[in-house]
Amino acid sequence: MAPLIAFLILLAQIQCSMGEVYIVYMGKKTIEDHELVTKSHHETLASVLGSEDLAKGAILYSYRHGFSGFAADMNPGHAKALSKMPGVVSVFRSKKVKLHTTHSWDFLGLDLMKPNGILQESGFGVDVIVGVVDSGVWPEAESFNDKSMPAVPTRWKGICQIGENFTASNCNRKLIGARYFNQSVDPSVEDYRSPRDKNSHGTHTSSTAVGRLVYGASDDEFGSGIARGGAPMARLAMYKFYEESSSLEADIIAAIDYAIYDGVDILSISAGVDNTYEYNTDGIAIGAFHAVQNGILVVASGGNSGPYPSTIINTAPWILSVGASSIDRGFHAKIVLPDNATSCQATPSQHRTGSKVGLHGIASGENGYCTEATLNGTTLRGKYVLCVASSAELPVDMDAIEKAGATGIIITDTARSITGTLSLPIFVVPSACGVQLLGHRSHEKSSTIYIHPPETVTGIGPAPAVATFSSRGPNPISPDILKPDIIAPGVDIIAAIPPKNHSSSSAKSFGAMSGTSMSCPHVSGVAALLKSLHPDWSPSAIKSAIMTTAWNMDNTRDIITDSFTLSYSNPFGYGAGHINPTKAADPGLVYVTTPQDYALFCCSLGSICKIEHSKCSSQTLAATELNYPSITISNLVGAKTVKRVVTNVGTPCSSYRAIVEEPHSVRVTVKPDILHFNSSVTKLSYEITFEAAQIVRSVGHYAFGSITWSDGVHYVRSPISVQVNDFIRA
């Protein structure tokens, strides 16, 4: 009995002391042997838990490839003790992570039929390895076939991890690797314990980035065409973490760590953690820093918390942060009102399956509100319920609507908060149309409408426009670094998804999704093309090429608009602009930033940015001095001069002249204003000085402009954002 009692006592001690998953970050590896790195982690944790056996049982992940650290179950006291130990950079709780096409690539100018261009010249991204950190992959999807693809690159070190309904044979010359990370997942979560995708997100993003050509793809016959990724000949490696209800940073950090070891070239992460205000407690920022150290460009979604300011996430300067935009395609249906003379245009939602055309009854809750309380037992059976949201915060309760027996939903575009399961057909109408429909109700709160069959329309404008949901700047952690960096298509993007019955026999299953999760892989696909075209370019050079060649105009030749305000947007909405793949292939000049620069930048921020174990010296690099492709000054007092260095990657003998668009009430001076390059002079610096041009009362407003360097062929544009908090008399 004595051994049993001792065991029960020990088990009770463990259960009482272990409660949360903490991440212990130890910076750059000092030991190359992976097993010795893990052993050092056991020893470190054992020093606070009391034994190595307890430490081995508590550790979920040992991060030992791209950097050093571990994730483990422990209590706050243990975490505090570890944070004070030599060699430990930071200790923080593992937070929950949110997961954030037939036409979009044509809209971006990537024409399959052209005899030359970035697609053809890059070999369609041949042999570039794109790692996707997401919800998994459906390997049978036609987008991941490997017909005519060459052998897997010999530099690849990854594996095809077997698991539930997933074997080594599910990988091929296209899907060359797949891993899954579920150490922090609750056992009750219903998902494949394997790299196989259950919720569609990962399959969708992967095929958007690197999917092969699939003819006749559509979402319920909407948007029919050729589905393809940005880099159809690039290789795919999937690193699965689990859906947002159970995902923790510990899993994502492990995914990034293995991606570094496996040898990916580009890392695409359509996920993030909200309300993170320190880089040293942001698991994605930490992992991404070490990926960049290893020559890997990290592209990440900026989040879906728009249109509110300072909601942007994944804001570290070493990450290419992506916002979402619309494209020039829409899915429209005409709704005719009871007078048979008035009609309005509606947009079917992505949940279009079962959308019925023809004559329908229409009903609504009190004042057009659609909550359980306002519906108040209203009988909706066989009718479309009208939800007119006069307040952005007013929720639309899908479950209450379905419980009341509705056939479908008509919702105004002012709605921002939708709760419940989206299982009914939904049509989105302009708010003015919603008011008209509401006015046509009878005193029994009932009337009729006629819904015409929806159709796909292309060539609409203005496009692109910043999506309402796309998170906005300014950067909440480092306001002198502009975020987002870029926008890309993220509204109604059609790409591969698992078949509805999860039968592997269906290889042609596609669906439309919206979010910065969809815009992120568009940029990842373009980055893969650039990496194939310019294999010697660093992550920052690729990032610079994408940013400095971006469009800031829409297809009506006007400034990009904001879908929420319907007025002009600004760099806090679109960053440097909308991605332009063709121009990015030949940017002329690039702004190169090294990992050492990023480390010095962290030193300037102090305690909120501990990325490397080595202590900061007196040398730091302020955010305004980081050699970034955009310029932001969040607090201009008096005059401010910043320096930038450009590297010529175009014609060796060339001269570039500065073209300045001054922010309102700000005087801008550039020295020198002409840069002369030749075969031996490939890098040149310039200084740009900002000062208030007239009396400006500080009310916390930004002014925007740009500096463009041009040789007559290339236009290397950097957006400028300045907030004046002082003035100089003109």
Side-chain angles (χ1 to χ4, degrees):
M1 285 294 290
L4 177 59
I5 292 172
F7 171 76
L8 291 175
I9 292 173
L10 177 61
L11 181 61
Q13 289 174 336
I14 294 173
Q15 290 174 333
C16 288
S17 61
M18 306 300 179
E20 297 182 90
V21 176
Y22 281 82
I23 294 164
V24 180
Y25 172 55
M26 306 177 76
K28 191 174 182 179
K29 290 189 305 178
T30 57
I31 308 170
E32 285 304 316
D33 188 297
H34 296 161
E35 297 305 320
L36 289 179
V37 174
T38 297
K39 188 175 188 301
S40 72
H41 296 161
H42 292 156
E43 292 170 351
T44 299
L45 186 56
S47 68
V48 297
L49 296 188
S51 81
E52 198 159 319
D53 287 338
L54 283 177
K56 288 179 179 178
I59 285 183
L60 280 68
Y61 295 107
S62 173
Y63 308 129
R64 58 186 190 171
H65 300 296
F67 49 95
S68 178
F70 58 89
D73 283 312
M74 66 184 81
N75 64 33
H78 297 143
K80 186 175 181 179
L82 283 167
S83 68
K84 297 178 180 179
M85 293 184 62
V88 173
V89 177
S90 61
V91 180
F92 55 97
R93 286 186 179 88
S94 179
K95 300 174 287 296
K96 285 191 175 182
V97 178
K98 289 185 178 180
L99 287 169
H100 287 143
T101 76
T102 52
H103 183 69
S104 59
W105 291 110
D106 293 328
F107 180 62
L108 293 180
L110 293 183
D111 189 343
L112 287 171
M113 300 298 108
K114 279 187 177 179
N116 50 41
I118 182 175
L119 271 176
Q120 292 75 11
E121 291 169 8
S122 68
F124 295 84
V126 64
D127 280 353
V128 173
I129 302 171
V130 178
V132 176
V133 179
D134 215 301
S135 67
V137 63
W138 195 262
E140 293 83 8
E142 187 65 18
S143 296
F144 308 125
N145 81 78
D146 66 350
K147 295 172 185 175
S148 74
M149 292 195 74
V152 176
T154 56
R155 60 190 170 89
W156 176 244
K157 295 191 289 185
I159 64 169
C160 193
Q161 187 176 2
I162 62 174
E164 183 182 359
N165 290 356
F166 202 96
T167 68
S169 64
N170 286 125
C171 291
N172 56 21
R173 295 189 303 274
K174 177 66 174 180
L175 175 62
I176 64 173
R179 299 181 187 264
Y180 67 102
F181 303 87
N182 66 341
Q183 292 301 304
S184 64
V185 175
D186 190 301
S188 65
V189 172
E190 294 184 4
D191 199 340
Y192 296 105
R193 280 357 185 221
S194 74
R196 184 170 291 277
D197 187 14
K198 186 177 189 298
N199 78 356
S200 304
H201 196 273
T203 301
H204 195 282
T205 57
S206 298
S207 60
T208 299
V210 299
R212 303 295 301 279
L213 274 63
V214 181
Y215 293 85
S218 67
D219 174 23
D220 252 4
E221 299 185 359
F222 287 88
S224 182
I226 303 173
R228 55 173 166 135
M233 289 296 283
R235 316 298 180 134
L236 170 65
M238 170 54 66
Y239 298 87
K240 175 181 175 176
F241 70 97
Y242 286 71
E243 58 186 329
E244 67 180 72
S245 61
S246 59
S247 298
L248 292 179
E249 283 175 295
D251 299 328
I252 283 194
I253 296 173
I256 297 173
D257 186 40
Y258 271 100
I260 294 170
Y261 171 78
D262 291 343
V264 305
D265 299 305
I266 310 291
L267 202 50
S268 186
I269 306 176
S270 289
V273 178
D274 290 338
N275 303 317
T276 296
Y277 301 106
E278 297 183 357
Y279 293 132
N280 58 297
T281 60
D282 182 341
I284 292 177
I286 290 171
F289 177 84
H290 291 285
V292 170
Q293 272 190 327
N294 285 270
I296 301 166
L297 175 65
V298 180
V299 185
S301 52
N304 300 331
S305 298
Y308 306 108
S310 293
T311 50
I312 186 76
I313 62 171
N314 291 323
T315 62
W318 48 88
I319 294 174
L320 179 46
S321 310
V322 187
S325 63
S326 62
I327 59 175
D328 67 339
R329 179 191 63 199
F331 307 122
H332 296 159
K334 183 186 290 185
I335 296 180
V336 180
L337 306 186
D339 62 8
N340 214 30
T342 308
S343 65
C344 58
Q345 184 172 273
T347 302
S349 80
Q350 63 193 51
H351 305 276
R352 288 185 287 273
T353 302
S355 298
K356 297 180 179 179
V357 300
L359 191 67
H360 292 282
I362 183 172
S364 69
E366 183 181 348
N367 296 321
Y369 297 164
C370 291
T371 64
E372 187 171 7
T374 57
L375 290 171
N376 195 25
T378 304
T379 300
L380 305 177
R381 190 163 303 282
K383 300 175 181 176
Y384 267 73
V385 62
L386 172 64
C387 303
V388 179
S390 59
S391 167
E393 301 303 321
L394 187 72
V396 176
D397 190 336
M398 298 295 182
D399 293 336
I401 292 170
E402 188 164 21
K403 185 178 179 181
T407 297
I409 303 167
I410 298 174
I411 188 171
T412 57
D413 57 9
T414 49
R416 298 286 173 261
S417 177
I418 298 175
T419 62
T421 305
L422 305 180
S423 57
L424 293 174
I426 303 172
F427 288 90
V428 181
V429 298
S431 57
C433 175
V435 171
Q436 284 182 303
L437 288 169
L438 201 59
H440 277 287
R441 295 178 309 154
S442 69
H443 63 277
E444 289 89 11
K445 300 180 180 177
S446 177
S447 186
T448 58
I449 56 171
Y450 192 90
I451 301 177
H452 286 260
E455 58 184 13
T456 302
V457 181
T458 58
I460 60 176
V466 178
T468 295
F469 57 77
S470 187
S471 292
R472 309 296 207 268
N475 187 330
I477 301 180
S478 182
D480 288 322
I481 298 293
L482 177 66
K483 292 290 176 170
D485 292 306
I486 199 81
I487 56 171
V491 177
D492 275 339
I493 303 303
I494 297 176
I497 58 172
K500 290 180 176 63
N501 59 1
H502 277 210
S503 167
S504 61
S505 60
S506 176
K508 280 191 177 182
S509 181
F510 293 85
M513 292 186 184
S514 297
T516 56
S517 284
M518 286 63 251
S519 52
C520 171
H522 276 89
V523 177
S524 302
V526 173
L529 297 179
L530 296 178
K531 185 67 176 177
S532 179
L533 195 60
H534 304 287
D536 58 331
W537 279 11
S538 68
S540 65
I542 295 174
K543 178 178 181 177
S544 175
I546 289 172
M547 290 178 64
T548 60
T549 58
W551 292 310
N552 69 329
M553 308 291 280
D554 60 31
N555 60 357
T556 68
R557 297 184 180 276
D558 206 350
I559 297 171
I560 292 173
T561 58
D562 185 308
S563 295
F564 181 68
T565 65
L566 301 182
S567 59
Y568 292 149
S569 186
N570 59 52
F572 292 149
Y574 54 68
H578 194 265
I579 192 167
N580 183 350
T582 300
K583 292 294 185 182
D586 180 22
L589 307 175
V590 293
Y591 294 85
V592 174
T593 317
T594 67
Q596 179 62 20
D597 293 334
Y598 295 133
L600 292 175
F601 156 78
C602 271
C603 287
S604 73
L605 296 184
S607 62
I608 68 169
C609 193
K610 296 178 180 177
I611 295 297
E612 286 279 41
H613 172 57
S614 56
K615 292 183 179 180
C616 293
S617 65
S618 58
Q619 183 184 5
T620 62
L621 196 62
T624 54
E625 293 298 326
L626 194 65
N627 201 40
Y628 212 67
S630 60
I631 300 172
T632 301
I633 300 175
S634 63
N635 183 27
L636 179 60
V637 177
K640 174 74 174 177
T641 299
V642 301
K643 179 183 176 182
R644 291 292 188 268
V645 178
V646 286
T647 300
N648 185 14
V649 293
T651 306
C653 293
S654 55
S655 295
Y656 285 78
R657 184 180 299 274
I659 305 168
V660 176
E661 179 191 353
E662 292 185 330
H664 180 66
S665 299
V666 177
R667 184 183 297 117
V668 179
T669 306
V670 182
K671 292 183 180 180
D673 60 359
I674 300 178
L675 301 175
H676 299 287
F677 295 93
N678 56 45
S679 56
S680 58
V681 178
T682 59
K683 292 185 180 182
L684 289 172
S685 65
Y686 67 91
E687 291 184 340
I688 181 166
T689 300
F690 303 90
E691 58 182 345
Q694 61 188 38
I695 295 178
V696 179
R697 301 185 190 279
S698 176
V699 288
H701 293 304
Y702 278 83
F704 304 98
S706 64
I707 177 170
T708 303
W709 291 95
S710 178
D711 62 351
V713 176
H714 305 93
Y715 291 86
V716 188
R717 183 180 181 276
S718 294
I720 294 171
S721 311
V722 180
Q723 182 172 238
V724 179
N725 285 327
D726 193 13
F727 67 88
I728 296 176
R729 294 187 185 276

